[in-house]
Amino acid sequence: GAGVSQSPSNKVTEKGKDVELRCDPISGHTALYWYRQSLGQGLEFLIYFQGNSAPDKSGLPSDRFSAERTGGSVSTLTIQRTQQEDSAVYLCASSLIPGLAAETQYFGPGTRLLVL
Amino acid sequence: SQQGEEDPQALSIQEGENATMNCSYKTSINNLQWYRQNSGRGLVHLILIRSNEREKHSGRLRVTLDTSKKSSSLLITASRAADTASYFCATAPRVGATNKLIFGTGTLLAVQP
């Protein structure tokens, strides 16, 4: 596609429910990243995929958070038993070639999650 | 935790004036990037400067990097109302095997017409 797409754009859920957020990277981009932006914490790195594997999961805040990537393309971020502090904008980014320090990351529009 | 700190947190200028935003970071980096964000949604990449570069230009944007002071600045010349947005610096740390970006706290720029 023309850019990184994410769905849904907005998600409202009740505390304790599970949610799945989807990211479609730019076609051909092998590296994929998830970030979170919240009022109190700013923009935080969550997880990085190279192909279908995740060599860096260091930013996932708890074991309620998980992510997978299939076919080297689409990625899903799952939050189980959501809490109110999970409310944030979840941003996905992709880049063409992993391992190159100078590679630009292209961001999607984000999913705004609100946990009531 | 965030690595970068930006100042000012907010900046209000008149159209036509120049806007300067500063960013400081803590560890060695491979590169530093500046992003723009409108309305709290997607980030738009503006410019990337490598650790061995000192200055870079792109249109009305000028970025400087001082690795000895671990700081960078973004200058927007001849600002326009459409430049109103939040601006973030992001560093790619030298350590580690990933290209994750560490973002600064951001500067909210308001350009008054």
Side-chain angles (χ1 to χ4, degrees), chain A residues 40-110:
Chain A
Q41 299 297 321
L43 272 153
E44 304 172 284
F45 165 80
L46 297 178
I47 187 169
Y48 157 64
F49 284 94
Q50 179 174 324
N52 291 336
S53 64
D56 189 348
K57 305 178 183 179
S58 62
L60 294 178
S62 75
D63 58 7
R64 295 186 296 104
F65 287 72
S66 63
E68 65 175 12
R69 190 179 185 196
T70 55
S73 181
V74 171
S75 176
T76 302
L77 177 69
T78 301
I79 309 174
Q80 295 178 309
R81 306 180 302 281
T82 52
Q83 303 294 313
Q84 289 181 331
E85 60 263 29
D86 299 334
S87 296
V89 177
Y90 289 83
L91 294 161
C92 175
S94 68
S95 65
L96 182 59
I97 303 173
L100 283 182
E103 197 59 38
T104 296
Q105 295 184 22
Y106 297 89
F107 282 79

Side-chain angles (χ1 to χ4, degrees), chain B:
Chain B
S1 61
Q2 290 193 26
Q3 167 170 255
E5 294 291 332
E6 292 182 59
D7 77 271
Q9 288 188 321
L11 179 62
S12 181
I13 60 174
Q14 296 295 316
E15 216 167 18
E17 293 180 337
N18 296 341
T20 299
M21 290 159 269
N22 302 295
C23 167
S24 62
Y25 57 92
K26 298 177 182 175
T27 63
S28 296
I29 61 171
N30 284 314
N31 67 70
L32 185 144
Q33 304 178 38
W34 285 89
Y35 285 83
R36 165 195 169 123
Q37 185 178 42
N38 289 85
S39 305
R41 297 308 287 265
L43 292 158
V44 175
H45 182 263
L46 295 177
I47 196 166
L48 180 152
I49 186 166
R50 293 179 174 79
S51 59
N52 61 352
E53 298 177 311
R54 292 296 167 259
E55 188 171 314
K56 203 161 183 179
H57 296 253
S58 176
R60 293 185 295 114
L61 305 180
R62 172 177 168 255
V63 170
T64 63
L65 179 64
D66 186 335
T67 53
S68 66
K69 295 181 179 178
K70 292 186 168 59
S71 67
S72 173
S73 68
L74 171 68
L75 169 67
I76 304 174
T77 61
S79 64
R80 306 165 182 168
D83 293 330
T84 295
S86 291
Y87 292 81
F88 293 88
C89 68
T91 53
R94 190 178 297 279
V95 295
T98 73
N99 292 339
K100 69 182 180 185
L101 294 175
I102 308 297
F103 283 86
T105 50
T107 293
L108 178 58
L109 173 66
V111 181
Q112 309 297 331

